[in-house]
Amino acid sequence: MSIRKRKVQANYLKVNEAFELLGTGFTELNESPSAQTTSKRYINQSSASQSVNGYEWSSSFNTDQIVSDKAIEYIREIGEMQKTGAETETEYIIVDLDKEAQTAGYRARKFKIAIAVDSFDDNDGELGISGTFLGQSDPIEGTFKTDEKSFTEGFTAKG
């Protein structure tokens, strides 16, 4: 049995018009699909019939405030200036580095998100940021080329 390691996923945040890697500085990035369910019990049944009717996707994060990191600075500014609405919205990509594409690149999922900054943490004198990336639509499956930092819709596995 082989369990996937966290390092086989690369995460990118769109800052201005470029995708920036979320790596050094981030101590947590936890994806939560949060399935939304419905339940109905019919008169001839003792138990309810349940189904999944949607998702309320989010990804919580914790990061150190590294001034030279563009993505961290982008997130920090949202919280410090208490931005709302469209000023908090961007794109977020999760890349599976263990799933190569037939052409070049890797399988990826792109999400439209809003960034919710919850707190500026004091970690033994070092400043951090905690918050959540809030999903705004269905994910789009595609191919991400890490060398070009480019996303294309559609994915075909190698081999």
Side-chain angles (χ1 to χ4, degrees):
M1 174 169 62
S2 179
I3 299 174
R4 292 179 79 208
K5 301 290 184 190
R6 177 62 180 91
K7 66 182 183 178
V8 302
Q9 279 190 336
N11 304 75
Y12 291 84
L13 187 70
K14 192 170 195 177
V15 177
N16 301 318
E17 292 304 311
F19 285 105
E20 301 293 337
L21 177 65
L22 306 182
T24 300
F26 282 82
T27 56
E28 268 184 53
L29 262 173
N30 299 313
E31 184 178 2
S32 300
S34 298
Q36 304 298 296
T37 62
T38 59
S39 177
K40 183 179 264 189
R41 188 181 61 81
Y42 296 102
I43 60 171
N44 65 333
Q45 295 175 334
S46 298
S47 300
S49 294
Q50 300 179 73
S51 63
V52 174
N53 65 349
Y55 291 87
E56 196 168 304
W57 183 94
S58 66
S59 182
S60 61
F61 66 85
N62 285 306
T63 184
D64 294 328
Q65 289 189 27
I66 298 176
V67 179
S68 61
D69 189 285
K70 291 177 185 175
I72 294 171
E73 282 295 291
Y74 180 77
I75 293 167
R76 184 174 62 88
E77 185 176 319
I78 288 171
E80 285 183 345
M81 300 311 297
Q82 299 179 16
K83 294 181 178 182
T84 60
E87 291 184 304
T88 68
E89 296 173 0
T90 190
E91 295 175 351
Y92 175 65
I93 296 180
I94 300 173
V95 182
D96 294 316
L97 300 173
D98 58 346
K99 296 180 181 176
E100 288 187 62
Q102 189 173 27
T103 53
Y106 303 91
R107 178 183 179 266
R109 294 173 291 142
K110 181 171 77 170
F111 297 85
K112 182 174 180 179
I113 63 163
I115 299 172
V117 176
D118 296 328
S119 66
F120 293 112
D121 309 313
D122 179 348
N123 302 316
D124 290 329
E126 295 181 341
L127 294 176
I129 308 171
S130 298
T132 309
F133 299 146
L134 304 170
Q136 294 187 311
S137 63
D138 294 334
I140 298 169
E141 184 177 45
T143 302
F144 191 82
K145 294 180 180 176
T146 55
D147 55 343
E148 299 173 5
K149 295 183 182 178
S150 64
F151 178 86
T152 307
E153 284 189 35
F155 173 75
T156 304
K158 186 176 185 177

